Short mmCIF file of all heavy atoms in Angstrom, two decimals:
data_model
loop_
_atom_site.label_atom_id
_atom_site.label_comp_id
_atom_site.label_asym_id
_atom_site.label_seq_id
_atom_site.Cartn_x
_atom_site.Cartn_y
_atom_site.Cartn_z
N ARG B 1424 -14.37 20.93 -1.22
CA ARG B 1424 -15.60 21.69 -0.97
C ARG B 1424 -16.66 21.41 -2.03
O ARG B 1424 -17.86 21.34 -1.74
CB ARG B 1424 -15.29 23.20 -0.91
CG ARG B 1424 -14.55 23.61 0.36
CD ARG B 1424 -14.62 25.11 0.57
NE ARG B 1424 -13.88 25.85 -0.43
CZ ARG B 1424 -12.58 26.13 -0.36
NH1 ARG B 1424 -11.87 25.73 0.70
NH2 ARG B 1424 -11.98 26.81 -1.31
N ALA B 1425 -16.22 21.22 -3.27
CA ALA B 1425 -17.16 20.90 -4.35
C ALA B 1425 -17.85 19.56 -4.10
O ALA B 1425 -19.05 19.40 -4.32
CB ALA B 1425 -16.43 20.87 -5.69
N LEU B 1426 -17.08 18.57 -3.60
CA LEU B 1426 -17.66 17.26 -3.31
C LEU B 1426 -18.62 17.32 -2.12
O LEU B 1426 -19.60 16.57 -2.06
CB LEU B 1426 -16.54 16.24 -3.04
CG LEU B 1426 -15.63 15.95 -4.25
CD1 LEU B 1426 -14.52 14.99 -3.86
CD2 LEU B 1426 -16.42 15.41 -5.42
N GLU B 1427 -18.35 18.23 -1.19
CA GLU B 1427 -19.29 18.43 -0.07
C GLU B 1427 -20.61 18.99 -0.59
O GLU B 1427 -21.69 18.62 -0.12
CB GLU B 1427 -18.68 19.38 0.96
CG GLU B 1427 -17.55 18.73 1.78
CD GLU B 1427 -16.80 19.73 2.62
OE1 GLU B 1427 -17.11 20.94 2.55
OE2 GLU B 1427 -15.87 19.31 3.35
N LEU B 1428 -20.52 19.87 -1.60
CA LEU B 1428 -21.75 20.39 -2.23
C LEU B 1428 -22.53 19.26 -2.88
O LEU B 1428 -23.77 19.22 -2.80
CB LEU B 1428 -21.40 21.45 -3.27
CG LEU B 1428 -20.91 22.81 -2.74
CD1 LEU B 1428 -20.39 23.67 -3.88
CD2 LEU B 1428 -22.05 23.54 -2.02
N LEU B 1429 -21.82 18.34 -3.51
CA LEU B 1429 -22.49 17.20 -4.14
C LEU B 1429 -23.19 16.35 -3.10
O LEU B 1429 -24.33 15.92 -3.30
CB LEU B 1429 -21.47 16.36 -4.93
CG LEU B 1429 -22.00 15.08 -5.59
CD1 LEU B 1429 -23.10 15.40 -6.58
CD2 LEU B 1429 -20.87 14.31 -6.25
N ARG B 1430 -22.52 16.09 -1.95
CA ARG B 1430 -23.15 15.31 -0.88
C ARG B 1430 -24.38 16.01 -0.32
O ARG B 1430 -25.31 15.35 0.14
CB ARG B 1430 -22.12 15.04 0.23
CG ARG B 1430 -21.15 13.91 -0.10
CD ARG B 1430 -20.38 13.48 1.12
NE ARG B 1430 -19.39 14.47 1.53
CZ ARG B 1430 -18.16 14.55 1.06
NH1 ARG B 1430 -17.75 13.68 0.15
NH2 ARG B 1430 -17.33 15.46 1.50
N ASP B 1431 -24.37 17.34 -0.37
CA ASP B 1431 -25.53 18.11 0.10
C ASP B 1431 -26.58 18.28 -0.99
O ASP B 1431 -27.49 19.11 -0.86
CB ASP B 1431 -25.08 19.50 0.60
CG ASP B 1431 -24.23 19.41 1.85
OD1 ASP B 1431 -24.35 18.38 2.56
OD2 ASP B 1431 -23.46 20.33 2.13
N ARG B 1432 -26.44 17.52 -2.10
CA ARG B 1432 -27.39 17.53 -3.22
C ARG B 1432 -27.47 18.88 -3.92
O ARG B 1432 -28.52 19.30 -4.38
CB ARG B 1432 -28.78 17.08 -2.74
CG ARG B 1432 -28.78 15.67 -2.15
CD ARG B 1432 -30.16 15.21 -1.74
NE ARG B 1432 -30.10 13.89 -1.14
CZ ARG B 1432 -30.12 12.74 -1.82
NH1 ARG B 1432 -30.20 12.76 -3.13
NH2 ARG B 1432 -30.07 11.58 -1.18
N LYS B 1433 -26.32 19.56 -3.99
CA LYS B 1433 -26.23 20.83 -4.72
C LYS B 1433 -25.33 20.61 -5.93
O LYS B 1433 -24.24 21.14 -6.06
CB LYS B 1433 -25.67 21.92 -3.81
CG LYS B 1433 -26.56 22.20 -2.59
CD LYS B 1433 -25.92 23.21 -1.64
CE LYS B 1433 -26.80 23.45 -0.42
NZ LYS B 1433 -26.16 24.36 0.56
N ALA B 1434 -25.83 19.75 -6.84
CA ALA B 1434 -25.02 19.29 -7.97
C ALA B 1434 -24.65 20.44 -8.90
O ALA B 1434 -23.51 20.48 -9.41
CB ALA B 1434 -25.76 18.20 -8.73
N ASP B 1435 -25.57 21.36 -9.16
CA ASP B 1435 -25.26 22.46 -10.09
C ASP B 1435 -24.11 23.31 -9.57
O ASP B 1435 -23.21 23.70 -10.33
CB ASP B 1435 -26.51 23.33 -10.30
CG ASP B 1435 -27.58 22.59 -11.09
OD1 ASP B 1435 -27.21 21.68 -11.87
OD2 ASP B 1435 -28.78 22.89 -10.91
N GLN B 1436 -24.12 23.62 -8.27
CA GLN B 1436 -23.03 24.40 -7.69
C GLN B 1436 -21.72 23.60 -7.72
O GLN B 1436 -20.65 24.17 -7.95
CB GLN B 1436 -23.37 24.78 -6.25
CG GLN B 1436 -24.53 25.75 -6.12
CD GLN B 1436 -24.81 26.08 -4.66
OE1 GLN B 1436 -23.91 26.32 -3.86
NE2 GLN B 1436 -26.10 26.07 -4.30
N ALA B 1437 -21.81 22.29 -7.50
CA ALA B 1437 -20.62 21.43 -7.53
C ALA B 1437 -19.98 21.44 -8.91
O ALA B 1437 -18.75 21.51 -9.04
CB ALA B 1437 -20.99 20.01 -7.12
N ILE B 1438 -20.81 21.38 -9.97
CA ILE B 1438 -20.28 21.40 -11.34
C ILE B 1438 -19.53 22.70 -11.61
O ILE B 1438 -18.41 22.69 -12.15
CB ILE B 1438 -21.42 21.20 -12.36
CG1 ILE B 1438 -21.85 19.74 -12.39
CG2 ILE B 1438 -20.98 21.62 -13.77
CD1 ILE B 1438 -22.99 19.46 -13.33
N LYS B 1439 -20.14 23.81 -11.24
CA LYS B 1439 -19.50 25.11 -11.49
C LYS B 1439 -18.14 25.18 -10.79
O LYS B 1439 -17.15 25.64 -11.37
CB LYS B 1439 -20.41 26.24 -10.99
CG LYS B 1439 -21.63 26.48 -11.87
CD LYS B 1439 -22.51 27.59 -11.29
CE LYS B 1439 -23.77 27.79 -12.13
NZ LYS B 1439 -24.68 28.80 -11.55
N MET B 1440 -18.09 24.74 -9.54
CA MET B 1440 -16.83 24.81 -8.80
C MET B 1440 -15.78 23.86 -9.39
O MET B 1440 -14.61 24.22 -9.52
CB MET B 1440 -17.08 24.47 -7.33
CG MET B 1440 -15.85 24.66 -6.46
SD MET B 1440 -16.18 24.46 -4.68
CE MET B 1440 -16.95 26.04 -4.33
N LEU B 1441 -16.20 22.65 -9.79
CA LEU B 1441 -15.25 21.70 -10.37
C LEU B 1441 -14.72 22.17 -11.72
O LEU B 1441 -13.53 22.00 -12.03
CB LEU B 1441 -15.90 20.32 -10.50
CG LEU B 1441 -16.11 19.54 -9.20
CD1 LEU B 1441 -16.94 18.29 -9.45
CD2 LEU B 1441 -14.77 19.15 -8.57
N LEU B 1442 -15.59 22.75 -12.54
CA LEU B 1442 -15.13 23.27 -13.84
C LEU B 1442 -14.14 24.42 -13.65
O LEU B 1442 -13.16 24.54 -14.39
CB LEU B 1442 -16.33 23.73 -14.68
CG LEU B 1442 -17.22 22.60 -15.22
CD1 LEU B 1442 -18.48 23.16 -15.87
CD2 LEU B 1442 -16.45 21.75 -16.24
N LYS B 1443 -14.38 25.27 -12.65
CA LYS B 1443 -13.44 26.35 -12.35
C LYS B 1443 -12.11 25.77 -11.86
O LYS B 1443 -11.03 26.24 -12.27
CB LYS B 1443 -14.04 27.26 -11.27
CG LYS B 1443 -13.14 28.42 -10.85
CD LYS B 1443 -12.96 29.44 -11.99
CE LYS B 1443 -12.28 30.72 -11.52
NZ LYS B 1443 -10.92 30.54 -11.04
N CYS B 1444 -12.18 24.75 -11.04
CA CYS B 1444 -10.95 24.07 -10.58
C CYS B 1444 -10.18 23.47 -11.76
O CYS B 1444 -8.94 23.53 -11.80
CB CYS B 1444 -11.30 22.96 -9.58
SG CYS B 1444 -11.85 23.54 -7.97
N GLN B 1445 -10.91 22.92 -12.71
CA GLN B 1445 -10.27 22.32 -13.88
C GLN B 1445 -9.52 23.38 -14.70
O GLN B 1445 -8.38 23.15 -15.14
CB GLN B 1445 -11.32 21.62 -14.74
CG GLN B 1445 -10.74 20.75 -15.84
CD GLN B 1445 -11.82 20.00 -16.59
OE1 GLN B 1445 -12.83 20.58 -16.97
NE2 GLN B 1445 -11.62 18.71 -16.81
N VAL B 1446 -10.14 24.53 -14.91
CA VAL B 1446 -9.49 25.62 -15.65
C VAL B 1446 -8.23 26.06 -14.92
O VAL B 1446 -7.17 26.25 -15.53
CB VAL B 1446 -10.47 26.80 -15.83
CG1 VAL B 1446 -9.73 28.02 -16.38
CG2 VAL B 1446 -11.62 26.42 -16.75
N ASP B 1447 -8.31 26.22 -13.59
CA ASP B 1447 -7.14 26.64 -12.82
C ASP B 1447 -6.04 25.59 -12.85
O ASP B 1447 -4.85 25.91 -12.93
CB ASP B 1447 -7.55 26.92 -11.37
CG ASP B 1447 -8.46 28.14 -11.25
OD1 ASP B 1447 -8.56 28.90 -12.23
OD2 ASP B 1447 -9.09 28.32 -10.18
N ALA B 1448 -6.42 24.30 -12.78
CA ALA B 1448 -5.43 23.23 -12.78
C ALA B 1448 -4.65 23.19 -14.09
O ALA B 1448 -3.45 22.92 -14.10
CB ALA B 1448 -6.12 21.89 -12.53
N GLU B 1449 -5.34 23.44 -15.20
CA GLU B 1449 -4.67 23.42 -16.51
C GLU B 1449 -3.58 24.47 -16.63
O GLU B 1449 -2.71 24.35 -17.49
CB GLU B 1449 -5.71 23.60 -17.62
CG GLU B 1449 -6.62 22.38 -17.79
CD GLU B 1449 -7.80 22.65 -18.71
OE1 GLU B 1449 -8.00 23.83 -19.06
OE2 GLU B 1449 -8.53 21.69 -19.05
N CYS B 1450 -3.62 25.48 -15.77
CA CYS B 1450 -2.63 26.56 -15.85
C CYS B 1450 -1.28 26.17 -15.27
O CYS B 1450 -0.27 26.81 -15.60
CB CYS B 1450 -3.15 27.80 -15.12
SG CYS B 1450 -4.60 28.53 -15.88
N PHE B 1451 -1.23 25.15 -14.39
CA PHE B 1451 0.08 24.85 -13.77
C PHE B 1451 0.34 23.35 -13.56
O PHE B 1451 1.42 22.99 -13.08
CB PHE B 1451 0.21 25.59 -12.43
CG PHE B 1451 -0.64 25.06 -11.33
CD1 PHE B 1451 -0.09 24.27 -10.32
CD2 PHE B 1451 -2.00 25.35 -11.26
CE1 PHE B 1451 -0.87 23.78 -9.29
CE2 PHE B 1451 -2.79 24.87 -10.23
CZ PHE B 1451 -2.23 24.08 -9.23
N LEU B 1452 -0.60 22.47 -13.91
CA LEU B 1452 -0.38 21.03 -13.79
C LEU B 1452 -0.24 20.41 -15.18
O LEU B 1452 -0.91 20.82 -16.13
CB LEU B 1452 -1.53 20.35 -13.05
CG LEU B 1452 -1.76 20.74 -11.59
CD1 LEU B 1452 -2.93 19.95 -11.02
CD2 LEU B 1452 -0.52 20.51 -10.74
N SER B 1453 0.62 19.38 -15.28
CA SER B 1453 0.77 18.68 -16.56
C SER B 1453 -0.54 17.99 -16.92
O SER B 1453 -1.30 17.59 -16.03
CB SER B 1453 1.90 17.65 -16.46
OG SER B 1453 1.52 16.62 -15.55
#
Side-chain angles (χ1 to χ4, degrees):
R1424 287 196 293 273
L1426 295 177
E1427 288 170 358
L1428 288 171
L1429 177 60
R1430 281 193 289 273
D1431 293 337
R1432 300 183 182 275
K1433 298 175 181 176
D1435 291 334
Q1436 293 180 44
I1438 284 178
K1439 287 178 183 177
M1440 186 173 282
L1441 287 172
L1442 289 172
K1443 179 67 170 63
C1444 288
Q1445 190 176 46
V1446 171
D1447 293 346
E1449 289 170 351
C1450 295
F1451 72 103
L1452 296 180
S1453 66

